[in-house]
Amino acid sequence: MNLKKRFIASIIAILSPLISGCETAEIARFEHQPSDAFYENMNFDIPALDEFKDNGILFTISVKQATYEDYYVWLGLYAASSRSTPIKIIYARLIGNEWQKDHFINKEIDLTERSRDGELLTDEVLVEVNGDFFNLFKNSPNITIEVVYSIDGKEKTMQFFIERRIENHTVYPT
């Protein structure tokens, strides 16, 4: 029994400096609930997505931290069938608390590629968030993304409300 207690005490003695030297890292994640629901099962027919469809094209948003100083905002476009008229993405405006930034895109999308499951046609547009704008973006509790696009010569706007979620992770010393 004494040997068992010594063994446990020695394990605790070895691990205690590792545990006491831990720090907490804060990671900001940005979520758009309807887009997240779509990406779970690639289900084009979820009722929550109806307000993000125009002329049979679904607009989705995904925000990911790419590096320590970069976020990528992905605008995904999906359609169940091919279109004869392309869609043109003119620009994306990112709006936070007391700031906004326009990213001019000017890209014509024709939705010819197939999605991973092969059932939907897809294309995407990337907006990079970096430099001085990175900290404004990262620390905003809520962000609105306005996408200005043109279909059949008519200019339209689609809005996405993005929520910031904070996750705390334990960082162990190396």
PDB file of all heavy atoms in Angstrom, residues 57-86:
ATOM      1  N   ILE A  57     -30.511  30.770 -56.553  1.00  0.00           N
ATOM      2  CA  ILE A  57     -29.120  30.733 -56.093  1.00  0.00           C
ATOM      3  C   ILE A  57     -29.086  30.988 -54.596  1.00  0.00           C
ATOM      4  O   ILE A  57     -29.662  31.962 -54.101  1.00  0.00           O
ATOM      5  CB  ILE A  57     -28.260  31.793 -56.808  1.00  0.00           C
ATOM      6  CG1 ILE A  57     -28.238  31.522 -58.309  1.00  0.00           C
ATOM      7  CG2 ILE A  57     -26.839  31.799 -56.250  1.00  0.00           C
ATOM      8  CD1 ILE A  57     -27.574  32.607 -59.115  1.00  0.00           C
ATOM      9  N   LEU A  58     -28.429  30.098 -53.858  1.00  0.00           N
ATOM     10  CA  LEU A  58     -28.275  30.221 -52.406  1.00  0.00           C
ATOM     11  C   LEU A  58     -26.941  30.910 -52.112  1.00  0.00           C
ATOM     12  O   LEU A  58     -25.905  30.506 -52.631  1.00  0.00           O
ATOM     13  CB  LEU A  58     -28.286  28.849 -51.744  1.00  0.00           C
ATOM     14  CG  LEU A  58     -27.929  28.795 -50.267  1.00  0.00           C
ATOM     15  CD1 LEU A  58     -28.954  29.566 -49.425  1.00  0.00           C
ATOM     16  CD2 LEU A  58     -27.810  27.359 -49.788  1.00  0.00           C
ATOM     17  N   PHE A  59     -26.993  31.946 -51.277  1.00  0.00           N
ATOM     18  CA  PHE A  59     -25.801  32.654 -50.816  1.00  0.00           C
ATOM     19  C   PHE A  59     -25.500  32.185 -49.393  1.00  0.00           C
ATOM     20  O   PHE A  59     -26.403  32.192 -48.548  1.00  0.00           O
ATOM     21  CB  PHE A  59     -26.043  34.168 -50.777  1.00  0.00           C
ATOM     22  CG  PHE A  59     -26.195  34.821 -52.111  1.00  0.00           C
ATOM     23  CD1 PHE A  59     -27.335  34.622 -52.878  1.00  0.00           C
ATOM     24  CD2 PHE A  59     -25.195  35.646 -52.596  1.00  0.00           C
ATOM     25  CE1 PHE A  59     -27.484  35.237 -54.108  1.00  0.00           C
ATOM     26  CE2 PHE A  59     -25.337  36.271 -53.832  1.00  0.00           C
ATOM     27  CZ  PHE A  59     -26.483  36.065 -54.579  1.00  0.00           C
ATOM     28  N   THR A  60     -24.271  31.777 -49.124  1.00  0.00           N
ATOM     29  CA  THR A  60     -23.861  31.380 -47.771  1.00  0.00           C
ATOM     30  C   THR A  60     -22.583  32.126 -47.405  1.00  0.00           C
ATOM     31  O   THR A  60     -21.849  32.581 -48.269  1.00  0.00           O
ATOM     32  CB  THR A  60     -23.602  29.865 -47.677  1.00  0.00           C
ATOM     33  OG1 THR A  60     -22.533  29.520 -48.553  1.00  0.00           O
ATOM     34  CG2 THR A  60     -24.847  29.060 -48.005  1.00  0.00           C
ATOM     35  N   ILE A  61     -22.349  32.208 -46.098  1.00  0.00           N
ATOM     36  CA  ILE A  61     -21.150  32.878 -45.581  1.00  0.00           C
ATOM     37  C   ILE A  61     -20.452  31.946 -44.596  1.00  0.00           C
ATOM     38  O   ILE A  61     -21.098  31.304 -43.771  1.00  0.00           O
ATOM     39  CB  ILE A  61     -21.516  34.195 -44.856  1.00  0.00           C
ATOM     40  CG1 ILE A  61     -21.973  35.239 -45.849  1.00  0.00           C
ATOM     41  CG2 ILE A  61     -20.374  34.700 -44.009  1.00  0.00           C
ATOM     42  CD1 ILE A  61     -20.889  35.872 -46.675  1.00  0.00           C
ATOM     43  N   SER A  62     -19.136  31.914 -44.687  1.00  0.00           N
ATOM     44  CA  SER A  62     -18.319  31.177 -43.737  1.00  0.00           C
ATOM     45  C   SER A  62     -17.103  32.039 -43.403  1.00  0.00           C
ATOM     46  O   SER A  62     -16.416  32.519 -44.308  1.00  0.00           O
ATOM     47  CB  SER A  62     -17.873  29.849 -44.347  1.00  0.00           C
ATOM     48  OG  SER A  62     -17.057  29.137 -43.450  1.00  0.00           O
ATOM     49  N   VAL A  63     -16.857  32.242 -42.112  1.00  0.00           N
ATOM     50  CA  VAL A  63     -15.722  33.050 -41.661  1.00  0.00           C
ATOM     51  C   VAL A  63     -14.768  32.134 -40.902  1.00  0.00           C
ATOM     52  O   VAL A  63     -15.162  31.499 -39.931  1.00  0.00           O
ATOM     53  CB  VAL A  63     -16.184  34.216 -40.754  1.00  0.00           C
ATOM     54  CG1 VAL A  63     -14.991  35.047 -40.306  1.00  0.00           C
ATOM     55  CG2 VAL A  63     -17.210  35.078 -41.471  1.00  0.00           C
ATOM     56  N   LYS A  64     -13.541  32.080 -41.352  1.00  0.00           N
ATOM     57  CA  LYS A  64     -12.522  31.212 -40.728  1.00  0.00           C
ATOM     58  C   LYS A  64     -11.252  31.998 -40.483  1.00  0.00           C
ATOM     59  O   LYS A  64     -10.856  32.826 -41.303  1.00  0.00           O
ATOM     60  CB  LYS A  64     -12.179  30.023 -41.632  1.00  0.00           C
ATOM     61  CG  LYS A  64     -13.346  29.185 -42.046  1.00  0.00           C
ATOM     62  CD  LYS A  64     -13.854  28.349 -40.918  1.00  0.00           C
ATOM     63  CE  LYS A  64     -14.979  27.454 -41.424  1.00  0.00           C
ATOM     64  NZ  LYS A  64     -15.834  26.979 -40.382  1.00  0.00           N
ATOM     65  N   GLN A  65     -10.603  31.710 -39.357  1.00  0.00           N
ATOM     66  CA  GLN A  65      -9.307  32.315 -39.111  1.00  0.00           C
ATOM     67  C   GLN A  65      -8.271  31.481 -39.851  1.00  0.00           C
ATOM     68  O   GLN A  65      -8.129  30.290 -39.608  1.00  0.00           O
ATOM     69  CB  GLN A  65      -8.986  32.396 -37.628  1.00  0.00           C
ATOM     70  CG  GLN A  65      -7.719  33.180 -37.356  1.00  0.00           C
ATOM     71  CD  GLN A  65      -7.567  33.607 -35.908  1.00  0.00           C
ATOM     72  OE1 GLN A  65      -8.376  33.293 -35.068  1.00  0.00           O
ATOM     73  NE2 GLN A  65      -6.503  34.341 -35.641  1.00  0.00           N
ATOM     74  N   ALA A  66      -7.560  32.126 -40.767  1.00  0.00           N
ATOM     75  CA  ALA A  66      -6.599  31.417 -41.612  1.00  0.00           C
ATOM     76  C   ALA A  66      -5.233  31.337 -40.966  1.00  0.00           C
ATOM     77  O   ALA A  66      -4.583  30.295 -40.994  1.00  0.00           O
ATOM     78  CB  ALA A  66      -6.491  32.107 -42.964  1.00  0.00           C
ATOM     79  N   THR A  67      -4.766  32.448 -40.399  1.00  0.00           N
ATOM     80  CA  THR A  67      -3.480  32.497 -39.716  1.00  0.00           C
ATOM     81  C   THR A  67      -3.669  33.334 -38.456  1.00  0.00           C
ATOM     82  O   THR A  67      -4.773  33.783 -38.158  1.00  0.00           O
ATOM     83  CB  THR A  67      -2.378  33.144 -40.596  1.00  0.00           C
ATOM     84  OG1 THR A  67      -2.692  34.529 -40.777  1.00  0.00           O
ATOM     85  CG2 THR A  67      -2.250  32.450 -41.935  1.00  0.00           C
ATOM     86  N   TYR A  68      -2.585  33.593 -37.775  1.00  0.00           N
ATOM     87  CA  TYR A  68      -2.645  34.391 -36.560  1.00  0.00           C
ATOM     88  C   TYR A  68      -3.116  35.812 -36.831  1.00  0.00           C
ATOM     89  O   TYR A  68      -3.680  36.462 -35.972  1.00  0.00           O
ATOM     90  CB  TYR A  68      -1.255  34.402 -35.898  1.00  0.00           C
ATOM     91  CG  TYR A  68      -1.225  35.075 -34.561  1.00  0.00           C
ATOM     92  CD1 TYR A  68      -1.841  34.500 -33.463  1.00  0.00           C
ATOM     93  CD2 TYR A  68      -0.589  36.300 -34.407  1.00  0.00           C
ATOM     94  CE1 TYR A  68      -1.834  35.125 -32.227  1.00  0.00           C
ATOM     95  CE2 TYR A  68      -0.565  36.937 -33.176  1.00  0.00           C
ATOM     96  CZ  TYR A  68      -1.190  36.337 -32.095  1.00  0.00           C
ATOM     97  OH  TYR A  68      -1.180  36.975 -30.886  1.00  0.00           O
ATOM     98  N   GLU A  69      -2.944  36.290 -38.051  1.00  0.00           N
ATOM     99  CA  GLU A  69      -3.311  37.667 -38.393  1.00  0.00           C
ATOM    100  C   GLU A  69      -4.212  37.771 -39.616  1.00  0.00           C
ATOM    101  O   GLU A  69      -4.297  38.825 -40.245  1.00  0.00           O
ATOM    102  CB  GLU A  69      -2.046  38.500 -38.617  1.00  0.00           C
ATOM    103  CG  GLU A  69      -1.191  38.623 -37.377  1.00  0.00           C
ATOM    104  CD  GLU A  69       0.096  39.385 -37.642  1.00  0.00           C
ATOM    105  OE1 GLU A  69       0.480  39.533 -38.812  1.00  0.00           O
ATOM    106  OE2 GLU A  69       0.715  39.826 -36.668  1.00  0.00           O
ATOM    107  N   ASP A  70      -4.898  36.704 -39.987  1.00  0.00           N
ATOM    108  CA  ASP A  70      -5.771  36.719 -41.160  1.00  0.00           C
ATOM    109  C   ASP A  70      -7.067  35.960 -40.892  1.00  0.00           C
ATOM    110  O   ASP A  70      -7.047  34.871 -40.310  1.00  0.00           O
ATOM    111  CB  ASP A  70      -5.110  36.038 -42.361  1.00  0.00           C
ATOM    112  CG  ASP A  70      -3.933  36.792 -42.904  1.00  0.00           C
ATOM    113  OD1 ASP A  70      -4.017  38.011 -43.056  1.00  0.00           O
ATOM    114  OD2 ASP A  70      -2.907  36.133 -43.176  1.00  0.00           O
ATOM    115  N   TYR A  71      -8.165  36.549 -41.335  1.00  0.00           N
ATOM    116  CA  TYR A  71      -9.449  35.850 -41.422  1.00  0.00           C
ATOM    117  C   TYR A  71      -9.826  35.783 -42.887  1.00  0.00           C
ATOM    118  O   TYR A  71      -9.518  36.692 -43.666  1.00  0.00           O
ATOM    119  CB  TYR A  71     -10.558  36.619 -40.682  1.00  0.00           C
ATOM    120  CG  TYR A  71     -10.627  36.328 -39.215  1.00  0.00           C
ATOM    121  CD1 TYR A  71     -10.057  37.188 -38.292  1.00  0.00           C
ATOM    122  CD2 TYR A  71     -11.286  35.202 -38.731  1.00  0.00           C
ATOM    123  CE1 TYR A  71     -10.121  36.935 -36.938  1.00  0.00           C
ATOM    124  CE2 TYR A  71     -11.363  34.947 -37.376  1.00  0.00           C
ATOM    125  CZ  TYR A  71     -10.775  35.816 -36.491  1.00  0.00           C
ATOM    126  OH  TYR A  71     -10.844  35.559 -35.149  1.00  0.00           O
ATOM    127  N   TYR A  72     -10.498  34.717 -43.268  1.00  0.00           N
ATOM    128  CA  TYR A  72     -11.050  34.599 -44.609  1.00  0.00           C
ATOM    129  C   TYR A  72     -12.564  34.580 -44.484  1.00  0.00           C
ATOM    130  O   TYR A  72     -13.119  33.822 -43.683  1.00  0.00           O
ATOM    131  CB  TYR A  72     -10.607  33.306 -45.295  1.00  0.00           C
ATOM    132  CG  TYR A  72      -9.157  33.275 -45.738  1.00  0.00           C
ATOM    133  CD1 TYR A  72      -8.542  32.075 -46.023  1.00  0.00           C
ATOM    134  CD2 TYR A  72      -8.415  34.439 -45.886  1.00  0.00           C
ATOM    135  CE1 TYR A  72      -7.222  32.032 -46.443  1.00  0.00           C
ATOM    136  CE2 TYR A  72      -7.096  34.399 -46.300  1.00  0.00           C
ATOM    137  CZ  TYR A  72      -6.507  33.195 -46.572  1.00  0.00           C
ATOM    138  OH  TYR A  72      -5.206  33.164 -46.985  1.00  0.00           O
ATOM    139  N   VAL A  73     -13.214  35.407 -45.271  1.00  0.00           N
ATOM    140  CA  VAL A  73     -14.671  35.406 -45.362  1.00  0.00           C
ATOM    141  C   VAL A  73     -14.990  34.788 -46.717  1.00  0.00           C
ATOM    142  O   VAL A  73     -14.628  35.329 -47.762  1.00  0.00           O
ATOM    143  CB  VAL A  73     -15.244  36.841 -45.274  1.00  0.00           C
ATOM    144  CG1 VAL A  73     -16.750  36.810 -45.430  1.00  0.00           C
ATOM    145  CG2 VAL A  73     -14.838  37.501 -43.960  1.00  0.00           C
ATOM    146  N   TRP A  74     -15.640  33.625 -46.688  1.00  0.00           N
ATOM    147  CA  TRP A  74     -15.982  32.908 -47.909  1.00  0.00           C
ATOM    148  C   TRP A  74     -17.450  33.146 -48.213  1.00  0.00           C
ATOM    149  O   TRP A  74     -18.313  32.877 -47.378  1.00  0.00           O
ATOM    150  CB  TRP A  74     -15.763  31.410 -47.745  1.00  0.00           C
ATOM    151  CG  TRP A  74     -14.344  31.018 -47.567  1.00  0.00           C
ATOM    152  CD1 TRP A  74     -13.696  30.797 -46.389  1.00  0.00           C
ATOM    153  CD2 TRP A  74     -13.375  30.809 -48.585  1.00  0.00           C
ATOM    154  NE1 TRP A  74     -12.387  30.462 -46.622  1.00  0.00           N
ATOM    155  CE2 TRP A  74     -12.166  30.457 -47.971  1.00  0.00           C
ATOM    156  CE3 TRP A  74     -13.425  30.886 -49.972  1.00  0.00           C
ATOM    157  CZ2 TRP A  74     -11.023  30.187 -48.688  1.00  0.00           C
ATOM    158  CZ3 TRP A  74     -12.281  30.605 -50.684  1.00  0.00           C
ATOM    159  CH2 TRP A  74     -11.093  30.261 -50.043  1.00  0.00           C
ATOM    160  N   LEU A  75     -17.731  33.645 -49.389  1.00  0.00           N
ATOM    161  CA  LEU A  75     -19.095  33.736 -49.887  1.00  0.00           C
ATOM    162  C   LEU A  75     -19.289  32.548 -50.813  1.00  0.00           C
ATOM    163  O   LEU A  75     -18.632  32.441 -51.851  1.00  0.00           O
ATOM    164  CB  LEU A  75     -19.310  35.045 -50.657  1.00  0.00           C
ATOM    165  CG  LEU A  75     -20.621  35.158 -51.431  1.00  0.00           C
ATOM    166  CD1 LEU A  75     -21.810  35.153 -50.472  1.00  0.00           C
ATOM    167  CD2 LEU A  75     -20.629  36.415 -52.287  1.00  0.00           C
ATOM    168  N   GLY A  76     -20.165  31.638 -50.403  1.00  0.00           N
ATOM    169  CA  GLY A  76     -20.449  30.465 -51.220  1.00  0.00           C
ATOM    170  C   GLY A  76     -21.749  30.659 -51.967  1.00  0.00           C
ATOM    171  O   GLY A  76     -22.712  31.185 -51.416  1.00  0.00           O
ATOM    172  N   LEU A  77     -21.779  30.273 -53.213  1.00  0.00           N
ATOM    173  CA  LEU A  77     -22.996  30.344 -54.024  1.00  0.00           C
ATOM    174  C   LEU A  77     -23.322  28.930 -54.491  1.00  0.00           C
ATOM    175  O   LEU A  77     -22.433  28.209 -54.978  1.00  0.00           O
ATOM    176  CB  LEU A  77     -22.798  31.282 -55.215  1.00  0.00           C
ATOM    177  CG  LEU A  77     -22.577  32.716 -54.773  1.00  0.00           C
ATOM    178  CD1 LEU A  77     -21.174  33.148 -55.085  1.00  0.00           C
ATOM    179  CD2 LEU A  77     -23.579  33.617 -55.415  1.00  0.00           C
ATOM    180  N   TYR A  78     -24.593  28.544 -54.364  1.00  0.00           N
ATOM    181  CA  TYR A  78     -25.026  27.194 -54.708  1.00  0.00           C
ATOM    182  C   TYR A  78     -26.330  27.268 -55.500  1.00  0.00           C
ATOM    183  O   TYR A  78     -27.170  28.130 -55.240  1.00  0.00           O
ATOM    184  CB  TYR A  78     -25.256  26.355 -53.448  1.00  0.00           C
ATOM    185  CG  TYR A  78     -24.003  26.118 -52.661  1.00  0.00           C
ATOM    186  CD1 TYR A  78     -23.590  27.026 -51.688  1.00  0.00           C
ATOM    187  CD2 TYR A  78     -23.209  25.009 -52.896  1.00  0.00           C
ATOM    188  CE1 TYR A  78     -22.426  26.827 -50.971  1.00  0.00           C
ATOM    189  CE2 TYR A  78     -22.043  24.801 -52.184  1.00  0.00           C
ATOM    190  CZ  TYR A  78     -21.654  25.710 -51.220  1.00  0.00           C
ATOM    191  OH  TYR A  78     -20.500  25.512 -50.519  1.00  0.00           O
ATOM    192  N   ALA A  79     -26.500  26.349 -56.440  1.00  0.00           N
ATOM    193  CA  ALA A  79     -27.740  26.248 -57.209  1.00  0.00           C
ATOM    194  C   ALA A  79     -28.031  24.776 -57.476  1.00  0.00           C
ATOM    195  O   ALA A  79     -27.113  23.967 -57.618  1.00  0.00           O
ATOM    196  CB  ALA A  79     -27.629  27.019 -58.512  1.00  0.00           C
ATOM    197  N   ALA A  80     -29.317  24.449 -57.543  1.00  0.00           N
ATOM    198  CA  ALA A  80     -29.716  23.072 -57.809  1.00  0.00           C
ATOM    199  C   ALA A  80     -29.654  22.754 -59.298  1.00  0.00           C
ATOM    200  O   ALA A  80     -29.492  21.600 -59.684  1.00  0.00           O
ATOM    201  CB  ALA A  80     -31.121  22.822 -57.272  1.00  0.00           C
ATOM    202  N   SER A  81     -29.777  23.780 -60.144  1.00  0.00           N
ATOM    203  CA  SER A  81     -29.705  23.556 -61.585  1.00  0.00           C
ATOM    204  C   SER A  81     -28.903  24.684 -62.232  1.00  0.00           C
ATOM    205  O   SER A  81     -28.719  25.747 -61.645  1.00  0.00           O
ATOM    206  CB  SER A  81     -31.114  23.501 -62.180  1.00  0.00           C
ATOM    207  OG  SER A  81     -31.793  24.718 -61.943  1.00  0.00           O
ATOM    208  N   SER A  82     -28.443  24.441 -63.451  1.00  0.00           N
ATOM    209  CA  SER A  82     -27.597  25.434 -64.127  1.00  0.00           C
ATOM    210  C   SER A  82     -28.422  26.640 -64.554  1.00  0.00           C
ATOM    211  O   SER A  82     -29.625  26.558 -64.753  1.00  0.00           O
ATOM    212  CB  SER A  82     -26.895  24.806 -65.322  1.00  0.00           C
ATOM    213  OG  SER A  82     -27.850  24.397 -66.275  1.00  0.00           O
ATOM    214  N   ARG A  83     -27.718  27.763 -64.697  1.00  0.00           N
ATOM    215  CA  ARG A  83     -28.345  29.020 -65.090  1.00  0.00           C
ATOM    216  C   ARG A  83     -27.747  29.483 -66.409  1.00  0.00           C
ATOM    217  O   ARG A  83     -26.558  29.326 -66.645  1.00  0.00           O
ATOM    218  CB  ARG A  83     -28.055  30.094 -64.029  1.00  0.00           C
ATOM    219  CG  ARG A  83     -28.652  29.847 -62.684  1.00  0.00           C
ATOM    220  CD  ARG A  83     -28.395  31.004 -61.750  1.00  0.00           C
ATOM    221  NE  ARG A  83     -28.412  32.318 -62.376  1.00  0.00           N
ATOM    222  CZ  ARG A  83     -29.502  33.038 -62.610  1.00  0.00           C
ATOM    223  NH1 ARG A  83     -30.670  32.569 -62.277  1.00  0.00           N
ATOM    224  NH2 ARG A  83     -29.420  34.231 -63.184  1.00  0.00           N
ATOM    225  N   SER A  84     -28.587  30.108 -67.205  1.00  0.00           N
ATOM    226  CA  SER A  84     -28.076  30.650 -68.466  1.00  0.00           C
ATOM    227  C   SER A  84     -27.482  32.041 -68.257  1.00  0.00           C
ATOM    228  O   SER A  84     -26.592  32.448 -68.985  1.00  0.00           O
ATOM    229  CB  SER A  84     -29.191  30.701 -69.510  1.00  0.00           C
ATOM    230  OG  SER A  84     -30.250  31.521 -69.039  1.00  0.00           O
ATOM    231  N   THR A  85     -27.967  32.763 -67.234  1.00  0.00           N
ATOM    232  CA  THR A  85     -27.476  34.107 -66.953  1.00  0.00           C
ATOM    233  C   THR A  85     -26.518  34.068 -65.777  1.00  0.00           C
ATOM    234  O   THR A  85     -26.879  33.606 -64.697  1.00  0.00           O
ATOM    235  CB  THR A  85     -28.643  35.064 -66.609  1.00  0.00           C
ATOM    236  OG1 THR A  85     -29.614  34.977 -67.631  1.00  0.00           O
ATOM    237  CG2 THR A  85     -28.163  36.486 -66.448  1.00  0.00           C
ATOM    238  N   PRO A  86     -25.298  34.562 -65.948  1.00  0.00           N
ATOM    239  CA  PRO A  86     -24.362  34.571 -64.820  1.00  0.00           C
ATOM    240  C   PRO A  86     -24.746  35.621 -63.782  1.00  0.00           C
ATOM    241  O   PRO A  86     -25.504  36.542 -64.052  1.00  0.00           O
ATOM    242  CB  PRO A  86     -23.023  34.903 -65.465  1.00  0.00           C
ATOM    243  CG  PRO A  86     -23.348  35.531 -66.765  1.00  0.00           C
ATOM    244  CD  PRO A  86     -24.698  35.062 -67.177  1.00  0.00           C
TER     245      PRO A  86
END
